[in-house]
Structure formats: C-alpha cells, structure tokens
C-alpha cells in the first residue's frame, strides 16, 4: 500500500460514482503462459480489493462492467467459465460483502443469464438490500445501446397507452427507463489495459464523466492503482459545460 497516495487523496472530493471497464484479463494470462480463464479468476480477486478500497475511501457507487451483451460472441468455454465464476463469486462473497455493508445490484438484461447466476443474484440482492455502504453495481449482459433502445420502446408504449404524455418527455424521462435509473451518473470512468474506448458502456450516463485510462491489466489493478486514478480525477477541472 502506498501511504503517500492515501495521504494525498482529498477525502472531501472522492468521486461519488466510479465505473470500471475491467479489461486485460486475457492479456494478463497470456503474459504468464496461462489460459485466458486463469486471467478471469485473477480478475475476480482484483474485484475484492477494489470494493474494499472504495468502502474505505467513501466511494458510494462502484459499477463494474463484468459481462457485455457482446461478450456472448466469445468461445463457449470462456462464456461458461465467466458465468461459473460469476455464480461462484456471488455465492462465496455474499457474506463478506454483506458484513462490509455493501449493497449489490445488477444492471443489464439479467433475465438472459443462466439460472444459477440469476438465483445467486436474487439472493445477494435480497441479502444486501438494506445496506448503506458502497453500492456495487454489476453490469451483466449489459449494453448501453440495448438499454437505451429498450427504454425508448417502453416510452413509446407509454405514449400509446396514454400513461406518458409525449409533450412531457425530456432527458429525465429517458433516464427513468434505463437500468441505471436509481444510480447517479458516473463521475469517473476507468478502463484498464491500454484501450481507450467505451465498448458500449453507460453511453448515456457518462456525458460529463472524467476518463482515466491505464495500461495496467485488470488483475494487476490493485488499490494503489485506484488511488492513482482518484488523484488524477482530483486534478481535473469539471465545468459541466459551464464556466468556473
Ligand atoms: C476483459 O478481459 C474482462 C471481461 C470480459 C470480463 C470481466 C470479468 C471478470 C473480472 C471476472 C468475472 C466477473 C465477476 C463479477 C465475477 P478480456 O478477456 O477482454 O481481456 P483481453 O482484452 O486481454 O483479452
């Protein structure tokens, strides 16, 4: 742990919501001559420490891009491994997350996940529903474009059945039909492993987010790397389109 960084972080200006694209598990494994799946196992370990670090820094929302709507296109063995890891993570970590006051919530089209994942998700969401610490949002079978189109379909249906007045539609209407409706927009988006793109993650919500890219692969993204990202965030001048 780098105490210097800890001391430098301004605890009054910690991002309320950090969203992370956890990239590089495969490359981490390849560099060690391990199967890609070993990278995902190591990736789960990294999650544990980052959630704890967010708790200790007072980050209120942490959203992790764990499985995208496009990830189904990976080889079946890899998809099965990710689903097994997810079910195991939710089962094994439930007690510890609960004791750390973490509230777990899923975003995305979770009805399409295997039954074992849906069961564990329902259990952990129920167990942690009254917790008041970090809100851990797992993006599972999530894609921003699909989320936005599904919101539009619901709004159009609302207009058709008369429950929504077309003249009243504004930005908040759309927000209220997204799977992120009860989550404030991210302040800081982190992507590991060197790529600098959003890959269909929270497209609507990141309008005024700050971005932090690092070449570190996700399994090596230790709490001190999170500190570096927060320090970079604290050096940014956020104007939200206005003037200081
Ligand atoms: C990107 O690495 C990572 C993913 C597609 C999934 C992230 C999943 C985990 C960290 C583990 C499972 C999650 C939970 C919540 C238990 P990549 O495979 O795209 O790496 P590469 O770009 O180096 O190939």
């Amino acid at each position: 742990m780098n105490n210097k960084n800890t001391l430098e972080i301004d605890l009054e200006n910690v991002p309320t919501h950090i969203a992370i694209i956890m990239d590089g598990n495969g490359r981490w494994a390849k560099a060690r001559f391990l199967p890609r799946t070993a990278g995902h196992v190591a990736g789960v370990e990294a999650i544990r420490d980052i959630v704890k670090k967010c708790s200790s820094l007072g980050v209120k929302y942490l959203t992790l891009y764990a499985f995208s709507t496009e990830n189904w296109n990976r080889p079946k063995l890899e998809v099965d491994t990710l689903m097994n890891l997810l079910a195991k993570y939710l089962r094994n970590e439930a007690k510890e997350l609960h004791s750390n006051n973490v509230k777990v919530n899923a975003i995305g089209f979770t009805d399409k996940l295997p039954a074992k994942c849906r069961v564990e998700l329902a259990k952990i969401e129920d167990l942690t529903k009254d917790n008041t610490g970090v809100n851990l949002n797992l993006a599972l079978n999530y894609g921003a474009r699909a989320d936005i189109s599904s919101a539009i379909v619901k709004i159009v249906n609302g207009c058709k059945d008369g429950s929504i007045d077309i003249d009243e539609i504004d930005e908040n209407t759309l927000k209220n039909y997204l799977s992120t409706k009860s989550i404030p927009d991210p302040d800081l988006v982190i992507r590991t492993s060197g790529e600098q793109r959003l890959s269909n993650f929270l497209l609507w919500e990141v309008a005024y987010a700050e971005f932090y890219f690092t070449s570190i692969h996700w399994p090596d993204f230790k709490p001190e790397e999170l500190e570096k990202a927060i320090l970079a965030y604290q050096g940014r001048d956020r104007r939200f389109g206005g003037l200081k």
Side-chain angles (χ1 to χ4, degrees):
M1 169 116 125
N2 184 336
N3 289 322
K4 189 165 171 284
N5 279 348
T6 309
L7 288 177
E8 282 172 3
I9 285 180
D10 173 3
L11 291 174
E12 301 296 308
N13 183 26
V14 168
T16 301
H17 181 179
I18 298 179
I20 308 184
I21 303 176
M22 307 180 288
D23 197 9
N25 294 350
R27 277 163 282 173
W28 180 93
K30 194 174 174 202
R32 286 160 182 78
F33 305 101
L34 295 169
R36 291 177 56 78
T37 48
H40 297 313
V41 173
V44 174
E45 298 296 318
I47 292 176
R48 188 174 298 129
D49 290 344
I50 293 301
V51 175
K52 278 197 195 134
K53 188 69 190 175
C54 284
S55 282
S56 72
L57 289 173
V59 173
K60 286 305 294 174
Y61 296 84
L62 173 66
T63 302
L64 300 178
Y65 204 8
F67 195 87
S68 77
T69 44
E70 288 73 34
N71 285 152
W72 298 107
N73 297 326
R74 293 188 175 207
K76 185 174 182 311
L77 174 70
E78 184 165 343
V79 170
D80 289 349
T81 302
L82 282 167
M83 292 303 154
N84 288 337
L85 270 177
L86 172 65
K88 197 167 145 194
Y89 170 79
L90 296 171
R91 198 168 45 244
N92 292 351
E93 303 291 318
K95 218 169 145 193
E96 165 107 13
L97 289 168
H98 186 43
S99 69
N100 288 331
N101 200 19
V102 175
K103 180 173 174 176
V104 181
N105 167 53
I107 58 168
F109 300 89
T110 53
D111 53 322
K112 300 286 186 306
L113 295 175
K116 60 176 181 268
C117 297
R118 283 186 277 120
V119 167
E120 296 301 335
L121 260 181
K123 277 203 251 175
I124 202 166
E125 284 181 338
D126 187 55
L127 175 73
T128 63
K129 66 180 186 304
D130 297 323
N131 288 345
T132 54
V134 179
N135 290 272
L136 173 61
N137 308 306
L138 299 174
L140 296 165
N141 193 22
Y142 174 84
R145 287 180 171 182
D147 204 29
I148 294 168
S149 12
S150 142
I152 291 171
V153 170
K154 287 176 192 153
I155 293 168
V156 170
N157 282 332
C159 290
K160 281 207 273 188
D161 70 21
S163 59
I164 297 175
D165 178 351
I166 198 161
D167 296 322
E168 303 274 304
I169 294 176
D170 60 12
E171 293 180 8
N172 285 325
T173 318
L174 186 64
K175 172 84 190 169
N176 284 333
Y177 284 91
L178 294 174
S179 64
T180 52
K181 65 172 183 293
S182 49
I183 307 170
D185 288 345
D187 301 290
L188 172 64
V189 176
I190 298 171
R191 182 167 188 154
T192 58
S193 209
E195 314 294 349
Q196 302 195 3
R197 55 176 172 262
L198 275 174
S199 301
N200 204 12
F201 188 46
L202 303 176
L203 299 182
W204 174 272
E205 296 84 348
V206 298
Y208 283 102
E210 296 296 327
F211 291 86
Y212 178 86
F213 299 105
T214 171
S215 58
I216 304 273
H217 297 316
W218 173 251
D220 287 333
F221 193 82
K222 306 290 176 208
E224 50 270 30
E225 297 299 329
L226 182 69
E227 290 175 359
K228 284 186 206 163
I230 294 176
L231 281 172
Y233 166 85
Q234 293 186 337
R236 308 276 173 90
D237 179 17
R238 300 187 80 195
R239 294 189 299 278
F240 299 93
L243 289 175
K244 267 271 162 83

